[in-house]
Amino acid sequence: AQSVTQPDIHITVSEGASLELRCNYSYGATPYLFWYVQSPGQGLQLLLKYFSGDTLVQGIKGFEAEFKRSQSSFNLRKPSVHWSDAAEYFCAVGAHQGGKLIFGQGTELSVKP
Amino acid sequence: GAGVSQSPSNKVTEKGKDVELRCDPISGHTALYWYRQSLGQGLEFLIYFQGNSAPDKSGLPSDRFSAERTGGSVSTLTIQRTQQEDSAVYLCASSSGWGGKETQYFGPGTRLLVL
């Protein structure tokens, strides 16, 4: 069965520190992978996506993610976190037919001044 | 152009009443998705539309839930005989296709509270 696991429910980092949010997936074929961000009171916004090719993908707001097939992982990274990055982050795998998204439980990011 | 819009933004209803939630997708987007976000279950897929057809309704939690889409545009999610466990944020998304690679653009959601 298709599934996504985000092991960290809540992470706190200091402003300016680096960030890595973990995501593990289970999918029978080459996965379509997505990271979305949800700021308080706002809808979900796509940060980046991966389908094939270069396993390191760049997204908006300075985020990047690396696909590692051997580890079934698609971790999100940012070299230097800003206070405005505080939000909830969702990893998702997309079905090849129809495109429905299967989301992880989300990781809430807090940023300390 | 405008993004995905949803109405109402908030809905409070009494247990047993029916509710209708509306989604206006981005103009020209042929695929439309409904998701539910709740504390206990996270973000769950409910149903999606290709045009006016719904090939995948597998996420609808019970037969109290139904959805339709008309004119390849507006969609309505109806919940009959609401229960307290239906309380959640209902999110709609649209995309230019349904092949899996297209970006889904989400609306702000409808927050439903069943008393």
Side-chain angles (χ1 to χ4, degrees), chain A:
Chain A
Q2 305 157 8
S3 65
V4 177
T5 301
Q6 293 179 247
D8 305 305
I9 296 173
H10 187 214
I11 284 183
T12 300
V13 300
S14 297
E15 191 167 16
S18 63
L19 171 70
E20 183 169 26
L21 302 183
R22 296 183 291 164
C23 172
N24 292 96
Y25 67 88
S26 174
Y27 193 77
T30 299
Y32 298 158
L33 294 162
F34 304 81
W35 275 99
Y36 280 84
V37 61
Q38 186 176 37
S39 299
Q42 299 192 16
L44 289 156
Q45 181 183 23
L46 180 70
L47 287 175
L48 46 79
K49 56 188 178 182
Y50 171 80
F51 307 134
S52 64
D54 192 347
T55 57
L56 185 64
V57 293
Q58 303 296 320
I60 63 171
K61 304 184 180 186
F63 286 92
E64 66 179 26
E66 186 171 14
F67 171 64
K68 293 185 178 180
R69 183 186 300 276
S70 62
Q71 298 178 19
S72 298
S73 69
F74 188 57
N75 294 349
L76 182 72
R77 302 195 294 247
K78 186 169 185 177
S80 177
V81 169
H82 188 262
W83 64 265
S84 61
D85 293 325
E88 189 152 21
Y89 292 80
F90 292 92
C91 181
V93 62
H96 288 201
Q97 294 294 330
K100 75 179 186 184
L101 294 173
I102 298 161
F103 287 92
Q105 288 295 100
T107 297
E108 184 178 356
L109 173 67
S110 297
V111 180
K112 291 190 300 185

Side-chain angles (χ1 to χ4, degrees), chain B residues 85-107:
Chain B
E85 61 262 28
D86 299 334
S87 296
V89 177
Y90 290 82
L91 296 170
C92 175
S94 70
S95 66
S96 57
W98 50 82
K101 295 183 179 180
E102 289 78 12
T103 297
Q104 292 183 29
Y105 296 86
F106 283 80

Side-chain angles (χ1 to χ4, degrees), chain B:
Chain B
V4 177
S5 61
Q6 294 185 245
S7 61
S9 53
N10 291 281
K11 177 72 176 178
V12 180
T13 190
E14 294 177 349
K15 177 182 171 181
K17 296 285 182 68
D18 297 351
V19 295
E20 285 189 353
L21 312 180
R22 176 186 169 106
C23 172
D24 281 271
I26 293 172
S27 178
H29 277 192
T30 51
L32 186 148
Y33 302 81
W34 283 98
Y35 297 89
R36 180 169 72 172
Q37 186 173 24
S38 59
L39 281 175
Q41 301 299 321
L43 265 163
E44 311 171 90
F45 164 81
L46 297 178
I47 185 172
Y48 94 94
F49 289 88
Q50 292 179 9
N52 294 334
S53 301
D56 188 353
K57 308 178 184 180
S58 62
L60 295 178
S62 74
D63 58 8
R64 296 185 295 105
F65 288 72
S66 62
E68 66 174 11
R69 189 179 185 194
T70 55
S73 181
V74 171
S75 177
T76 303
L77 177 69
T78 301
I79 309 173
Q80 296 179 310
R81 306 180 303 281
T82 51
Q83 303 294 311
Q84 289 181 330
E85 61 262 28
D86 299 334
S87 296
V89 177
Y90 290 82
L91 296 170
C92 175
S94 70
S95 66
S96 57
W98 50 82
K101 295 183 179 180
E102 289 78 12
T103 297
Q104 292 183 29
Y105 296 86
F106 283 80
T110 293
R111 186 175 299 273
L112 175 66
L113 178 61
V114 182
L115 301 176

